[in-house]
Amino acid sequence: YLRTQVRDGTYTQMPDVFVAAFPAMRPAYEELLAEWDDEFPGEYNIFEYVVGPCLINLLRDASNHAETLTVFFAMLEEMALHAEEDVRELLNLTIAELIDGAGQVAYEQSLTFMGPAMRVAVLTLGPRFGVRPVPYEMRMGIPDATIPRGAAIPDWENDPD
């Protein structure tokens, strides 16, 4: 059901879909809305300051939140595969960047839950944001069909830098 909500949702609906799916986000969401008074903070701010930090907190205690993380990453996978480019960019420029900056433990835990399209999203951001390369063995089995059209997959094993 939640994957369908993401798949069928639009860019502007993504924050509401995630906040509705994970009630623990509601207090941070309400606080962000209050800080912005009468203005809407925008999808990027909601993902950067509400959705992302919630995900990182779950990853830091992944053994106690495996079921929630499975659902969370299934929804992120739908964003990575979304037909609307703005939805894919929202994922790429907020969640993938936050995962990289969250430290090695959260990063490695995220690899456990990531689907193939989400891995590709993280891989394609690598050169821009310094995301640690996903180990070669983690990239194996990523079907070509999940690689966004035009995405360049960096080849870190043979990169001279």
Side-chain angles (χ1 to χ4, degrees):
Y1 169 76
L2 293 172
R3 288 181 78 145
T4 304
Q5 292 283 4
V6 173
R7 186 180 314 123
D8 295 343
T10 64
Y11 167 75
T12 58
Q13 293 170 327
M14 289 300 126
D16 290 333
V17 168
F18 275 83
V19 172
F22 303 100
M25 289 183 202
R26 174 100 13 226
Y29 179 66
E30 298 292 339
E31 185 178 323
L32 183 65
L33 292 177
E35 288 173 10
W36 280 73
D37 294 323
D38 294 333
E39 275 187 75
F40 181 69
E43 292 76 14
Y44 280 88
N45 285 327
I46 294 168
F47 265 72
E48 186 169 348
Y49 297 112
V50 177
V51 178
C54 177
L55 175 62
I56 299 307
N57 286 335
L58 292 169
L59 285 168
R60 289 190 174 136
D61 190 21
S63 61
N64 290 319
H65 300 289
E67 188 175 318
T68 302
L69 283 164
T70 299
V71 172
F72 209 122
F73 273 95
M75 293 172 69
L76 294 175
E77 185 74 3
E78 290 299 331
M79 285 184 73
L81 294 168
H82 204 280
E84 196 176 331
E85 184 177 353
D86 287 343
V87 172
R88 294 190 310 269
E89 285 186 13
L90 179 62
L91 171 76
N92 291 343
L93 298 177
T94 57
I95 302 301
E97 186 176 356
L98 284 169
I99 286 172
D100 177 51
Q104 190 68 27
V105 172
Y107 177 80
E108 288 175 1
Q109 288 294 341
S110 72
L111 293 176
T112 305
F113 296 97
M114 270 186 212
M118 182 67 189
R119 284 193 189 136
V120 169
V122 171
L123 282 169
T124 57
L125 282 178
R128 238 181 346 189
F129 293 108
V131 175
R132 292 167 201 82
V134 175
Y136 180 76
E137 60 275 6
M138 294 297 288
R139 289 188 279 150
M140 300 307 293
I142 298 176
D144 289 342
T146 63
I147 299 173
R149 185 170 290 133
I153 306 299
D155 181 7
W156 281 285
E157 283 85 17
N158 297 311
D159 189 355
D161 292 334

